[in-house]
Amino acid sequence: MNRILFSITKKEFWHIIRDYQTLIIIILMPILMLLLFGYAVTLEMRQIETILVDQSHTPQSRAFLDDITSTTFFKITDRDVPEKEFEHILQQRKARCIIVIPADFARSLETQPETNIQVLVDASDPNAANYIRNYLIQISARFNFKLNPQLKMPFSVEPRILYNPDLKSYFFFVPGLVAVIILLITSLLTSIAIVREKEVGTMEQILVSPVHPLQIVIGKMIPYTVIGLIDSILILIMGRFLFGVPVLGSPWLLLLSLIIYVLSGLSFGLLVSTITESQQVAMLTAMMITLLPTLMLSGFIFPLKSMPLIFQYLSNVVPATHFLTIIRGILLKGSSLMDILPEMGALTGITILLLAISIRKFNMTLE
Amino acid sequence: MVTVEVENLTRTFGKFTAVDQVSFSVQKGEIFGFLGANGAGKTTTIRMLCGLLMPSSGTASVAGFDVYTQPENIKKNIGYMSQRFSLYEDLTVRENIRFYGGVYGLSRPQISSKTDELLEFLKLQDQADALTASIPMGWKQRLALSTAMLHDPPIIFLDEPTSGVDPVSRKNFWLLIYRLAEQGKTIFVTTHFMDEAEYCNRVSIMRDGAIIELEKPQTLKTKYNVNTMQDVFMQVVEKKSL
């Protein structure tokens, strides 16, 4: 029994090692994706191209504009352009934001209860427009406070940012990447590995031997479990040393959840292998049923709570949804098993169900 | 002694009847040929006898074991080689042998001695560590047969074992089969090549899922009054389809 299992696993490792192109992809993909998501893809905003138009030219207006230029959020590309060019500038995307200080700014500040400045924002990227708006509200509030120190604020909000105090987006992405890459490798590689044997005819040869189908499945899963775990540890180590993403919770709890999650990916792969006959189709199918829901419906990038209710329900059957809550909790918040018990339960349940379905389907298709 | 006993064996796929009430028996040490055009039901029959496919009705026993209830015992007593040779091309010759040895549950020392024995028998010692993809078809064919026999089974099923192989290799392959039959092994072989049918002790000709002739090649040639099995085959297939 064990000798048979060992033979199958050993052979699978030979396949992986001989196919060095795939081997390189397996090792390089996590590294490249991590660098890409860590450095290039960021949800933070900086260096917004901005044009300042000061029609007032007074010490007050200059003081306000100094507040704006002193941040890295705005990048001043031009100053004092005539009003008739505004439309053209926004159309040509030479700036995303134009701030106009009216000629009566200084006088109005002294005499009027309220003074307006004009801000033109290109909202074709609504996310950026929102950022710009919020940022300017902050700056103007600070400016007002400086001008009238005796001004009484009825109350103010003083947020304390927990678990990711600098609001770094890679704190959010690194755990997510573990989820995506594990799923990709486990489901894609297992489905291809099994379908390849069907294509070449070796599956049939193994099946006429006294090997139990379950032994084939387990023997094939072991190497990909190992690879999935190695890749996740690689990402976590790089995340730790390149981006400072901590592992606050128990590493053993992390390993346990990783293993359960890897098993869910493997069962996806097995399921795909039972419904496909060629390696290409298997690859596409695995991508469709694993990668897409994981990217869109797990909260990897898009927050689930702001989705329509039906998608929120749907997201509950995506293993990555629960795994993301678990891994973000363990890494960033130091969650204990008790804190993440519902998610662990859901993930384990889904995995067992998937595994049962795929093994049953696998047995049936051998007929 | 009868080693394969088949009675009214039938297999349907939906409305299509792939194998229709087939009956025959094969003696120990016999080379039993299975002829027929593509889709005649040869492969389906073999797959049922190997435990890869459950029959729809009828009975069959292989090496004394029932195909319905004892497929695991059957698998220990048969070797199976398909036309695709079923070798791992990205593994070396030696690794292929060791893998299949492991699959059949051979112990480590058994695998080692079998590997050496096979490599010498196949005269592949020099290529033992070459990738299987790099060796010629004829050798792959013999390697595939050897790996299918690592556990020394009394019955061997060969499903079109000589397709895609040159004539010299084919002849050598049949010499090998004769030697195995002399050792008392039962050979169950399907083929497209009618000259190969001449080498069999008995042949059965299948058409549309049914066996329509089952005799010694010589008897069939006399019966149809022709000189070759090729002519027998053409006559049998033509006559019945009229």
Side-chain angles (χ1 to χ4, degrees):
Chain A
M1 161 79 197
N2 289 333
R3 204 178 303 122
I4 294 175
L5 204 62
F6 178 71
S7 296
I8 295 174
T9 302
K10 192 164 76 173
K11 183 213 60 153
E12 210 58 37
F13 269 116
W14 275 330
H15 286 315
I16 297 168
I17 291 165
R18 295 279 152 78
D19 186 3
Y20 61 93
Q21 284 172 325
T22 308
L23 194 65
I24 289 172
I25 292 173
I26 292 172
I27 296 168
L28 275 187
M29 190 172 65
I31 297 177
L32 285 178
M33 275 176 92
L34 186 67
L35 294 178
L36 192 71
F37 275 97
Y39 288 117
V41 181
T42 163
L43 298 180
E44 295 150 46
M45 293 272 161
R46 282 171 64 232
Q47 301 284 320
I48 304 284
E49 297 90 349
T50 305
I51 291 177
L52 299 178
V53 181
D54 185 0
Q55 295 168 344
S56 169
H57 294 291
T58 53
Q60 287 91 334
S61 69
R62 275 192 289 275
F64 180 67
L65 291 181
D66 280 348
D67 281 355
I68 291 176
T69 51
S70 64
T71 70
T72 54
F73 185 80
F74 295 105
K75 180 185 166 201
I76 312 304
T77 51
D78 207 350
R79 280 172 186 270
D80 295 340
V81 293
E83 201 169 329
K84 59 179 191 313
E85 280 181 27
F86 287 178
E87 175 78 22
H88 184 67
I89 286 166
L90 291 175
Q91 285 284 354
Q92 299 272 304
R93 277 171 277 107
K94 283 180 182 149
R96 290 204 268 176
C97 169
I98 302 173
I99 300 168
V100 186
I101 313 268
D104 62 351
F105 182 72
R107 194 158 33 86
S108 173
L109 274 181
E110 311 264 308
T111 59
Q112 300 296 317
E114 208 178 291
T115 302
N116 291 322
I117 62 166
Q118 188 188 22
V119 180
L120 299 163
V121 181
D122 173 3
S124 56
D125 177 354
N127 198 23
N130 225 342
Y131 261 101
I132 295 169
R133 195 171 143 262
N134 287 336
Y135 215 91
L136 280 171
I137 288 173
Q138 272 183 43
I139 290 180
S140 61
R142 220 181 304 147
F143 180 77
N144 282 330
F145 194 70
K146 219 164 32 183
L147 219 59
N148 308 312
Q150 64 275 63
L151 187 78
K152 281 212 171 57
M153 291 284 212
F155 76 94
S156 71
V157 179
E158 286 289 333
R160 237 183 95 208
I161 313 290
L162 299 177
Y163 309 128
N164 182 4
D166 299 328
L167 295 174
K168 291 177 184 139
S169 51
Y170 40 77
F171 270 49
F172 184 71
F173 279 132
V174 168
L177 265 187
V178 175
V180 172
I181 287 176
I182 291 187
L183 198 69
L184 205 66
I185 285 185
T186 51
S187 65
L188 210 63
L189 295 185
T190 32
S191 63
I192 291 177
I194 296 175
V195 172
R196 184 177 50 208
E197 299 232 12
K198 284 210 269 183
E199 262 185 12
V200 183
T202 43
M203 187 56 99
E204 203 174 54
Q205 193 67 45
I206 298 176
L207 289 173
V208 292
S209 73
V211 174
H212 193 276
L214 206 59
Q215 288 174 318
I216 304 176
V217 172
I218 296 174
K220 277 189 159 302
M221 280 186 171
I222 291 173
Y224 296 105
T225 310
V226 172
I227 289 176
L229 289 177
I230 290 177
D231 268 351
S232 357
I233 291 166
L234 195 68
I235 297 173
L236 290 175
I237 290 177
M238 281 181 61
R240 176 80 187 79
F241 291 104
L242 283 181
F243 302 110
V245 179
V247 183
L248 295 179
S250 149
W252 297 111
L253 186 60
L254 184 63
L255 190 65
L256 176 70
S257 53
L258 274 172
I259 290 173
I260 299 175
Y261 182 64
V262 164
L263 282 176
S264 78
L266 292 170
S267 7
F268 267 125
L270 185 59
L271 196 62
V272 169
S273 77
T274 61
I275 52 175
T276 51
E277 292 297 326
S278 79
Q279 293 182 55
Q280 279 92 338
V281 179
M283 199 165 86
L284 285 174
T285 315
M287 290 274 229
M288 283 295 288
I289 73 167
T290 60
L291 197 57
L292 225 53
T294 303
L295 287 180
M296 302 295 171
L297 281 180
S298 69
F300 170 54
I301 300 176
F302 310 110
L304 289 172
K305 289 281 182 275
S306 51
M307 287 181 188
L309 217 50
I310 174 135
F311 288 119
Q312 293 193 33
Y313 288 132
L314 258 175
S315 73
N316 277 317
V317 300
V318 180
T321 307
H322 306 289
F323 180 69
L324 273 175
T325 313
I326 295 169
I327 191 172
R328 279 179 184 148
I330 297 175
L331 292 187
L332 306 178
K333 295 189 196 169
S335 303
S336 68
L337 181 59
M338 279 304 147
D339 300 325
I340 49 172
L341 206 54
E343 284 80 14
M344 275 300 239
L347 181 64
T348 313
I350 295 173
T351 304
I352 290 173
L353 192 72
L354 268 175
L355 210 55
I357 294 174
S358 53
I359 287 179
R360 206 183 127 77
K361 191 98 201 330
F362 182 74
N363 271 328
M364 269 162 46
T365 46
L366 297 182
E367 257 281 285
Chain B
M1 200 181 107
V2 175
T3 53
V4 179
E5 179 85 70
V6 175
E7 216 156 313
N8 296 324
L9 197 66
T10 303
R11 170 73 203 204
T12 54
F13 295 99
K15 283 196 170 141
F16 172 66
T17 307
V19 176
D20 192 6
Q21 307 246 343
V22 165
S23 302
F24 60 86
S25 61
V26 183
Q27 299 291 319
K28 182 174 186 290
E30 189 175 11
I31 301 176
F32 188 81
F34 230 47
L35 313 181
N38 285 332
K42 294 169 296 178
T43 300
T44 309
T45 308
I46 284 206
R47 290 173 63 90
M48 283 192 279
L49 296 179
C50 291
L52 287 173
L53 198 66
M54 272 290 156
S56 303
S57 65
T59 59
S61 73
V62 177
F65 298 106
D66 185 67
V67 288
Y68 291 98
T69 56
Q70 298 163 302
E72 297 314 309
N73 290 326
I74 291 178
K75 286 175 179 180
K76 285 183 190 137
N77 284 288
I78 58 164
Y80 171 81
M81 174 193 163
S82 80
Q83 54 183 317
R84 294 193 280 184
F85 297 171
S86 304
L87 298 167
Y88 294 95
E89 304 249 307
D90 57 339
L91 262 51
T92 64
V93 172
R94 191 192 299 276
E95 286 163 349
N96 265 297
I97 299 174
R98 298 189 67 95
F99 169 68
Y100 282 112
V103 161
Y104 277 100
L106 266 55
S107 70
R108 211 176 268 274
Q110 275 177 311
I111 292 178
S112 291
S113 63
K114 265 281 174 192
T115 308
D116 294 337
E117 190 187 312
L118 273 181
L119 287 174
E120 198 193 315
F121 175 70
L122 296 170
K123 300 196 171 47
L124 277 177
Q125 290 107 318
D126 293 339
Q127 280 81 13
D129 296 310
L131 288 186
T132 309
S134 68
I135 66 172
M137 272 309 242
W139 286 1
K140 277 187 204 171
Q141 178 200 36
R142 287 196 290 158
L143 178 59
L145 178 64
S146 312
T147 53
M149 289 172 31
L150 278 169
H151 53 305
D152 219 14
I155 305 169
I156 302 162
F157 288 92
L158 305 169
D159 192 4
E160 287 175 24
T162 50
S163 38
V165 173
D166 64 89
V168 178
S169 300
R170 265 171 60 197
K171 188 171 161 254
N172 287 333
F173 189 76
W174 274 94
L175 290 174
L176 197 63
I177 290 180
Y178 265 108
R179 221 154 77 200
L180 293 170
E182 275 163 23
Q183 291 169 18
K185 300 212 182 286
T186 308
I187 315 280
F188 198 106
V189 58
T190 73
T191 181
H192 271 321
F193 301 104
M194 289 309 136
D195 56 326
E196 291 185 353
E198 316 260 1
Y199 305 141
C200 299
N201 299 128
R202 277 192 306 154
V203 295
S204 76
I205 302 180
M206 275 190 97
R207 199 169 64 80
D208 297 336
I211 291 183
I212 44 186
E213 284 295 355
L214 176 56
E215 267 305 342
K216 290 193 172 76
Q218 194 50 52
T219 317
L220 283 175
K221 282 188 276 191
T222 317
K223 180 178 169 188
Y224 287 91
N225 197 19
V226 289
N227 290 325
T228 61
M229 275 306 293
Q230 174 80 27
D231 294 330
V232 172
F233 184 73
M234 294 314 288
Q235 285 215 15
V236 170
V237 172
E238 305 242 312
K239 189 178 86 183
K240 302 280 167 154
S241 61
L242 282 175

